[in-house]
């Protein structure tokens, strides 16, 4: 139960960050802008793909 | 006289070809999601499917990068995202090291056991992979 709450808070934090970033005039980048920056570099691109793949493995395969 | 392939004419042509292509991709995505809904956890076919999709997306993402690579400026306030992602990763690592703690997928297992939600999860995952390739 404690872990479920902790995961919920972590996911909630990500949602709050995205909402704050989408406010007009916000200096905070959106998740998409951070991803775009990370994916501008070869290593970042591979890391993003691996993170995406891991999510599929974790939730769908095992 | 040849028709121009770039500029406004080219964009119009691309737009005409865009919707059928998007429709086809949406149909393929829906079919893959339906197929994924029938793949249970811990099954060799599921392992093979996830690995195969991952290899295809990794290859396509690297090829796309060669075509479109351009350095972007690092956002000034990137660190709140890093902190939030690190918190999530820390929780997951803790759960993986301590068998008494559930991982996020352990918590989601009852939901993903339902074919409808499992198919939806496959669809979201594949759509995200498509987004990674396109970016």
């Amino acid at each position: 139960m404690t872990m479920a709450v902790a995961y919920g808070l972590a996911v909630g934090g990500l949602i709050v960050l995205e909402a704050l970033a989408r406010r007009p005039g916000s200096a905070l980048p959106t998740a998409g802008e951070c991803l775009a920056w990370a994916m501008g570099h070869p290593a970042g691109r591979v890391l993003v793909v691996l993170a995406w793949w891991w999510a599929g493995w974790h939730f769908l395969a095992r | 006289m040849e028709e121009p392939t770039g500029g406004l004419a080219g964009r119009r042509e691309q737009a005409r070809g865009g919707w059928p292509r998007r429709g086809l991709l949406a149909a393929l995505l829906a079919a893959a999601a339906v197929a994924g809904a029938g793949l249970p956890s811990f099954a060799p076919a599921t392992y093979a499917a996830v690995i195969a999709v991952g290899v295809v997306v990794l290859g396509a993402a690297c090829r796309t990068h060669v075509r479109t690579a351009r350095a972007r400026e690092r956002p000034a306030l990137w660190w709140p995202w890093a902190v939030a992602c690190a918190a999530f990763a820390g929780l997951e690592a803790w759960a993986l090291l301590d068998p008494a703690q559930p991982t996020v997928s352990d918590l989601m297992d009852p939901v993903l056991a339902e074919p409808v939600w499992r198919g939806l999860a496959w669809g979201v995952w594949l759509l995200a992979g498509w987004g990674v390739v396109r970016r």
Side-chain angles (χ1 to χ4, degrees):
Chain A
M1 185 64 189
T2 310
M3 281 298 269
V5 172
Y7 282 124
L9 286 174
V11 172
L14 293 171
I15 293 169
V16 167
L17 278 179
E18 183 68 17
L20 289 175
R22 287 178 179 273
R23 287 188 315 172
S26 174
L28 190 68
T30 63
E33 287 164 350
C34 286
L35 275 178
W37 167 70
M39 294 190 74
H41 303 268
R45 197 168 188 86
V46 170
L47 277 177
V48 170
V49 172
L50 287 179
W52 162 82
W53 181 82
W54 177 84
W57 180 262
H58 200 50
F59 287 102
L60 302 171
R62 61 135 315 277
Chain B
M1 189 173 169
E2 278 187 7
E3 285 286 321
T5 54
L8 188 60
R11 285 199 295 276
R12 280 182 180 156
E13 182 61 34
Q14 195 176 12
R16 276 198 291 270
W19 283 108
R21 188 163 169 264
R22 283 184 194 178
L24 178 65
L25 284 171
L28 282 173
L29 183 71
V34 168
L39 291 173
S41 295
F42 301 106
T46 313
Y47 293 146
V50 171
I51 289 171
V53 171
V55 168
V56 168
V57 168
L58 183 60
C62 290
R63 272 182 43 192
T64 308
H65 182 69
V66 172
R67 280 205 317 269
T68 64
R70 61 180 184 277
R72 289 171 189 265
E73 197 175 331
R74 186 175 68 191
L77 278 176
W78 60 275
W79 58 267
W81 285 102
V83 169
C85 290
F88 192 85
L91 284 172
E92 190 68 6
W94 179 25
L96 287 170
L97 294 172
D98 181 359
Q101 305 298 336
T103 63
V104 69
S105 68
D106 290 333
L107 295 172
M108 291 297 292
D109 274 349
V111 177
L112 293 176
E114 294 292 325
V116 172
W117 289 110
R118 193 168 186 78
L120 195 63
W122 266 94
V124 168
W125 184 63
L126 291 171
L127 196 61
W130 176 246
V132 167
V133 170
R134 297 262 307 182
R135 191 171 278 277

